[in-house]
Amino acid sequence: MRAFRFALPLLVSTTAFAASFNCKLASTPREKTICASPALSKADDELAAKYKALHEKLSPESAADLLKDQRIWLAYLDKACAPNLKADRANISECLLGEYNSRKPDFDSTTLPSGQVLFTRATYIARPTKLVPNDDSDMDPGVGTGIFRWPQIDRATSQQTAFNHSVLAYLLESSKNDPKQAATFLASTDPHSSVDVSWTLRAVNDKLLSIDFEQFSMTYGAAHPNTFDSTFHWNVAAGRPLQVTDVFNNASGWSTKLIPAARQKLRAIPDMSEMLWNGDELTKGIGNGLSNSYEWTLSSKGFTVTFAQYQVAAYVAGMPDITFTWQELKPYLNPSFAPSGLPKPTTSKRDSQ
């Protein structure tokens, strides 16, 4: 019961505080802490209700995946909020409350125009480590954490099943710390840092499905965190990830001809000119952003490129973006590409900056 409490259809509390498991059977530090705290017991109850609501909405196959993810999360908690940790995880009660708050959005879901449910798969990884005394030892809690979330379509058609596989493959590849390493979530979790990847539905219609990913990482003792935004585009009609040639005609030379205009747009951003790189470094950064569809936002209103941190400017510049109207891009577009058929965006990458 304790190990898989969220999977149970009926959960009864036996304490003054409402908890989603029987506190008389509490044995681990996590369970005892939850039962002793009104705030944690309430958070536990609320999370159990959210889990149950989504579990009942999903197909048996997807519900089984949700249960699998929840079991992984419970095991993660015992390592990520262990009693012997330090720094910001030294207080087990505060640590658990933070993890509960982080988990809540995982049980939200979106109904697609087709009527199908887009829900979150997630895996949580904790890598305890033996601390070696150094200047940063007071900032290292003694465990590295990796939280990775991605969307999946419930009751997927064969084409949508391809989306489910492709979006996970993209997240695995984009989360790699080293281009030469294997694409696994465990390998992407460092014992001396934390990484948190979340997703948002950017836009969707019968032509395009776009998912925004935000990756937030912090090395313990570092001066600042790093944030990496990217967008996974799915060409609905073709049943595959969007390709650059779906939008642009390579014979037009667009990838180099647009660089001067992109440079002007960046310099037009207030206070940006002094932060931009110079010369070839800026040219290369702009060219990479223009040619990388994962840095694009496509909508009926225009074509936006969101540059990564350090790609075209200093860290303080964040992730600057520029937008071209489709009229500006008309000479460079694939003749079969129809901007008018694109969906309206539902979110903004810059919302998180």
Side-chain angles (χ1 to χ4, degrees):
M1 179 183 295
R2 295 193 305 271
F4 310 122
R5 60 184 183 275
F6 291 105
L8 302 180
L10 295 174
L11 300 164
V12 182
S13 170
T14 59
T15 69
F17 305 139
S20 67
F21 60 99
N22 190 337
C23 282
K24 286 185 177 181
L25 301 176
S27 60
T28 68
R30 166 173 56 84
E31 293 167 344
K32 291 177 179 179
T33 301
I34 292 171
C35 289
S37 166
L40 275 171
S41 289
K42 181 181 178 182
D44 186 75
D45 239 10
E46 292 174 347
L47 202 67
K50 286 178 70 73
Y51 170 89
K52 183 174 183 290
L54 179 57
H55 190 272
E56 292 178 349
K57 184 187 294 187
L58 298 175
S59 66
E61 293 78 12
S62 293
D65 287 335
L66 193 70
L67 172 58
K68 176 184 175 182
D69 294 347
Q70 188 63 11
R71 289 172 172 171
I72 289 172
W73 181 72
L74 291 171
Y76 160 86
L77 287 182
D78 290 328
K79 294 180 180 179
C81 296
N84 61 336
L85 298 180
K86 305 169 88 174
D88 62 347
R89 293 183 178 272
N91 185 315
I92 186 173
S93 183
E94 290 180 2
C95 179
L96 284 169
L97 194 56
E99 293 294 346
Y100 268 81
N101 289 333
S102 176
R103 182 68 168 141
K104 280 183 181 180
D106 294 352
F107 299 125
D108 295 334
S109 61
T110 300
T111 301
L112 298 174
S114 62
Q116 294 161 294
V117 174
L118 188 68
F119 71 104
T120 296
R121 292 293 313 278
T123 194
Y124 284 71
I125 297 171
R127 296 188 64 182
T129 181
K130 184 176 180 180
L131 293 177
V132 178
N134 56 49
D135 293 341
D136 300 326
S137 60
D138 58 335
M139 300 180 187
D140 193 328
V143 63
T145 59
I147 302 173
F148 304 91
R149 309 176 184 90
W150 65 97
Q152 295 282 270
I153 300 175
D154 187 28
R155 296 181 172 88
T157 64
S158 58
Q159 239 186 28
Q160 293 166 338
T161 298
F163 164 84
N164 286 346
H165 291 313
S166 294
V167 74
L168 173 57
Y170 168 72
L171 178 58
L172 280 164
E173 189 65 27
S174 63
S175 298
K176 287 167 54 172
N177 292 322
D178 182 345
K180 297 180 181 179
Q181 72 180 5
T184 68
F185 290 133
L186 180 61
S188 299
T189 305
D190 186 274
H192 299 288
S193 67
S194 62
V195 59
D196 189 312
V197 182
S198 57
W199 69 273
T200 307
L201 177 62
R202 174 72 183 181
V204 60
N205 68 2
D206 60 350
K207 306 292 184 185
L208 187 70
L209 172 57
S210 298
I211 302 294
D212 277 357
F213 283 101
E214 181 183 22
Q215 179 170 311
F216 179 91
S217 62
M218 182 70 186
T219 300
Y220 303 136
H224 56 73
N226 286 320
T227 302
F228 173 67
D229 283 357
S230 64
T231 302
F232 177 84
H233 299 286
W234 183 254
N235 185 327
V236 176
R240 56 165 172 72
L242 184 78
Q243 298 176 358
V244 172
T245 52
D246 291 338
V247 179
F248 289 103
N249 177 7
N250 282 343
S252 68
W254 68 277
S255 59
T256 54
K257 291 180 179 178
L258 288 177
I259 289 177
R263 187 185 296 113
Q264 289 182 354
K265 289 177 182 289
L266 280 168
R267 287 175 174 161
I269 299 173
D271 303 320
M272 183 61 65
S273 291
E274 58 196 42
M275 294 183 281
L276 290 174
W277 303 137
N278 296 312
D280 292 342
E281 190 173 8
L282 178 58
T283 298
K284 181 180 178 181
I286 292 174
N288 288 340
L290 288 172
S291 301
N292 186 352
S293 64
Y294 298 123
E295 297 184 34
W296 297 355
T297 298
L298 306 175
S299 76
S300 55
K301 294 184 177 180
F303 169 86
T304 298
V305 179
T306 302
F307 296 98
Q309 288 177 329
Y310 296 113
Q311 189 170 15
V312 295
Y315 173 82
V316 69
M319 292 170 283
D321 60 45
I322 59 172
T323 299
F324 289 89
T325 66
W326 292 117
Q327 187 60 36
E328 289 178 287
L329 298 178
K330 191 174 180 179
Y332 310 108
L333 297 179
N334 182 326
S336 63
F337 178 70
S340 60
L342 292 171
K344 293 181 179 179
T346 57
T347 65
S348 171
K349 291 182 184 179
R350 302 191 71 178
D351 289 345
S352 60
Q353 296 184 49

